[in-house]
Each structure stands twice: as C-alpha cells, then as structure tokens.
Amino acid sequence: MRASLLALAIGAFGIGTTEFVIVGLLPEVADDLSVSIPSAGMLVTGYALGVVVGAPLMTAAGARLPRKTMLVLLMAVFIAGNLLCALAGDYTALMGGRLIAALTHGAFFGIGSVVAADLVAPDRRASAIALMFTGLTLANVLGVPLGTFLGQEFGWRSTFWAVTGIGIVGLLGLIALVPAQPAPERGALRGELAVFRRPQVWLALTTTVLGFGGVFASFTYLAPMMTELAGFSDGAVAWLLVLFGVGLCVGNVLGGRAADRALMPSLYLILGGLCLVLVVFTFTSHAAVPAAITLAAFGAIGFATVPPLQARVMQQAAGAPALASAANIAAFNLGNALGAWLGGLAVAHGLGWTSPTWIGAGLAAAGLGTAALSGRLDRRHGRHASVGTHPRPHAELSTAPRTHAPGAGHGTHPIVEQKSR
C-alpha cells in the first residue's frame, strides 16, 4: 500500500515542480528566448490558466473511466507537455508545452486523492492523502530549488528534461503499483453541478482567487526582485527558494491547526497578515538580510492561507466532492494567473520590481473583504463555520469521499480533512 502512495507522491512531486520552477528561471528564459521578464512571467499565468480550464474539463472527461486508467492518461499527457517544453525552440512552443502539462494538474490531484483514500482503511484516509501530498510539499522545498540550480548551470531546458524523467518514473509507478480502481458511478457529475447554485460557494471561490492571487503577484517576480533590489546573486536564488519553501511548509501546518480551531477567524487573521507582510516586503526587499527574513515570513503566511481557503470551499460545497474540489483547484490557479498577470503589467509599465508586491497586498485585502462578506452572510442566516472543517497540510486538492462533517476536506490544493501554480 505504501508503494502505491509513493507512486502517487512521485507524480505530485513532478507536477508541483513543473508548476513553480519557472519562477526561479525567468531571467534565463527571458534572455535565451529574447523576451522581457514580464513576458516570461506570462508562462506562470499561462500554466495557471491551463489548470483553470483543465481541472473541471479533465475531471468531467474522465468521469466514466476507471480511476487508475485516468491517472495513467493524465501522467502521459503531463510527460508530453514537459517534453515539448524541453524541446521548445521559441516562446510559443514553451507556452504550448506549459499549457499541455497544466491541463493534467487539477484532475491528477483530485482523482489521486480519491485513489489514495481508497487504498487504506476509513480511519487512515487523511494520512494517506497527506502522504500523497508530501510530493507536492517536497516539490516546493527540493524540486523547485534543485530545478532552478540545474537550469542556471546547464540551461533552463535541462530542468524540463529532468521533470520529464520524473514524470516517466511516476507513470511507471502508477502502472506497476497502483491497484485497479472502479469508475465513478453514473450520474454523479450531474448531481455535483447543483452545488454551484449556492452563492456562498461562489464567494468562497472568489476569496480563494483573490487571496492566493496576492501570493502569486509577488512570488512570480521573486527572482528579479531578489537579484535587482536585494543584491543577491543569480546563484543565490535557488537557496532563497529553499528558504521560501521551508516557510510555506511551516505556514501550511500552522494554518491548518488554526483553521481546525476556528475557521473563519483564522481566515480573517491570515489574509490580514498576508496583506501586512507584503506591505513590509516592499520596504525590506532593498537589503539582503531583511529581504531574506521577510521572504521566509511571506512563505509561511502565504501558504497558511491554503488550509482555510480550501476548507471554506469544501464547507460550503458539502455533497459535491469531485467537482467542487476541482473548481477550487481552478480558483487557486486563477489567482495565480491573475496575480502574475497584474504583477507583470505593473513591471512592464515601469512601476519597478516592488510594484507586484504592492498589487499582492491589494489582492489580499480584497480577499479579506470577500471573506468578511461571506462570514457576515453566515451570521445573518445563523450559520457558523465549524471547528475541524479543513484538510491537512497540502492535501488541498482532494476530491476524496467525505467521511466527516461537511467541509472536512482540502492546495494548491483534497476533500477529506486535509489541505493547492
């Protein structure tokens, strides 16, 4: 059983790495392909939009296929997309490869979470999903920094060759180690569509878009901000991403624990903290040591948003695990796209490297406002967010069958009680 979960974790590691590694390689890609850094930043936006489209589309397309079959097909498409990136001779081809890889992202995490939960006894489902999402966590802590180092030393295409190799290992693991899975019941998808008639579901999704958009507005342009303003060398970027990754791991755990105790108050506090740390970052980014310290804090508070954001959506979408989970994956990545696009727009108009961080603070404040409105509607109708309604660290993309109270599910982003480029 552990071997089956390892195969899922390897797939999660590859997908997480390919999503975020481009952030550390923007200067190299821009220089090699003769485009501006804001244009290179659109590779982040393009991937995120691919996830937005692909999450519900691929989930629906595979609704009648056995889950193992769907996972194998998704990983094959992921490999093809990264292979195209590795072979890309121009910007258009690279963007095309990113879009192809992105189509698999949401469906893989959603379906993979269901499979992981089905591999173990009911009382161990959360742990199984958390083990699968260890791959996503390691992608941020190890995959992205190592991919950045590899790209800086041997050219950015080498990073995509490496990710392609990881994808092949994951594909072979899925084929050999994951047991056959039944196809979902007929008619399940139609029933899940009804959940999107609820206004609170749309408010929760909007909060995810704005809140996580605030993270990515700044994170996308981290490399040039650290080198151009803080004075770090290009080679230091990989280590800075490690620091950021450690921060996000800590934040994800703490955000989950806080949301367990009080979901909506935690969401208000974390979004407010994100807005504050981004404002501070605009000032500390001009010196190396303060910039590094703030970067770690940014990683922690930025990814502390994931558990309560995912929990809130799953709480309001009770009864619609698969499609609601895919929709929230799409919402996270729509936020990624929005933040990266607005940040690039500001840089392209000559507003400087701190302008994306200012935009991030504004988006986080808007997310806080949306969350406050949603909470007010809860109080008006006599409903209160319950304790313990969120998934655990990095299960944020799951669609596992609900086994606890409504909302006990979760990333980037899963739907049991765990917490989603």
Side-chain angles (χ1 to χ4, degrees):
M1 209 61 72
R2 290 277 178 171
S4 301
L5 294 173
L6 177 61
L8 292 169
I10 292 172
F13 179 81
I15 291 174
T17 299
T18 205
E19 178 179 19
F20 297 119
V21 74
I22 196 71
V23 171
L25 298 174
L26 288 187
E28 286 74 19
V29 171
D31 183 62
D32 184 58
L33 299 181
S34 300
V35 298
S36 67
I37 287 184
S39 293
M42 290 298 291
L43 295 166
V44 176
T45 300
Y47 186 96
L49 291 176
V51 178
V52 171
V53 174
L57 183 64
M58 300 295 273
T59 300
R64 295 185 179 181
L65 289 177
R67 288 170 182 147
K68 177 178 178 177
T69 301
M70 191 59 187
L71 287 174
V72 169
L73 290 174
L74 289 169
M75 188 53 60
V77 174
F78 171 78
I79 292 168
N82 280 282
L83 182 60
L84 181 56
C85 289
L87 296 171
D90 56 32
Y91 179 83
T92 302
L94 179 57
M95 179 64 82
R98 295 276 294 166
L99 288 171
I100 291 171
L103 291 174
T104 69
H105 184 121
F108 183 89
F109 281 114
I111 296 170
S113 297
V114 176
V115 171
D118 286 346
L119 289 173
V120 298
D123 62 345
R124 297 183 57 203
R125 285 179 172 176
S127 297
I129 292 175
L131 183 57
M132 172 190 166
F133 277 86
T134 299
L136 186 60
T137 303
L138 291 177
N140 286 281
V141 178
L142 297 177
V144 172
L146 289 175
T148 299
F149 173 78
L150 188 65
Q152 289 175 341
E153 292 295 317
F154 303 102
W156 60 266
R157 288 178 183 83
S158 65
T159 299
F160 288 100
W161 281 113
V163 174
T164 300
I166 294 170
I168 292 172
V169 173
L171 176 63
L172 295 175
L174 291 172
I175 294 171
L177 301 175
V178 175
Q181 295 282 322
E185 295 180 6
R186 290 180 179 272
L189 185 62
R190 183 185 306 170
E192 292 196 357
L193 288 171
V195 77
F196 295 103
R197 297 174 185 169
R198 305 174 191 171
Q200 282 282 43
V201 170
W202 289 103
L203 278 174
L205 291 171
T206 301
T207 303
T208 295
V209 171
L210 294 172
F212 216 64
V215 175
F216 259 72
S218 180
F219 177 66
T220 299
Y221 300 96
L222 187 64
M225 186 165 65
M226 293 293 94
T227 55
E228 299 293 330
L229 295 183
F232 286 101
S233 66
D234 290 341
V237 172
W239 293 106
L240 290 169
L241 289 172
V242 172
L243 182 64
F244 181 85
V246 171
L248 77 86
C249 292
V250 172
N252 201 21
V253 172
L254 295 180
R257 291 177 179 175
D260 267 336
R261 294 183 176 88
L263 178 55
M264 291 306 289
S266 296
L267 186 56
Y268 302 148
L269 181 64
I270 292 169
L271 287 174
L274 175 61
C275 181
L276 177 62
V277 79
L278 286 170
V279 170
V280 171
F281 204 13
T282 62
F283 298 100
T284 60
S285 60
H286 294 275
V289 173
I293 294 172
T294 312
L295 177 62
F298 172 39
I301 194 70
F303 278 76
T305 62
V306 173
L309 286 172
Q310 179 71 11
R312 181 61 175 172
V313 169
M314 303 321 301
Q315 182 188 66
Q316 296 302 322
L323 199 56
S325 179
N328 203 41
I329 297 165
F332 273 110
N333 283 273
L334 183 58
N336 297 354
L338 177 66
W341 176 67
L342 290 176
L345 202 62
V347 172
H349 281 77
L351 299 181
W353 291 117
T354 60
S355 58
T357 304
W358 281 113
I359 288 172
L363 288 171
L368 176 59
T370 306
L373 174 60
S374 182
R376 182 177 180 183
L377 291 177
D378 268 354
R379 293 189 294 275
R380 178 179 297 177
H381 292 91
R383 291 192 299 267
H384 300 277
S386 59
V387 176
T389 59
H390 79 285
R392 296 227 177 262
H394 275 306
E396 74 257 25
L397 308 175
S398 160
T399 63
R402 187 175 304 280
T403 58
H404 295 286
H410 181 283
T412 350
H413 168 179
I415 194 178
V416 280
E417 47 296 324
Q418 294 307 84
K419 332 240 168 292
S420 209
R421 152 274 335 221

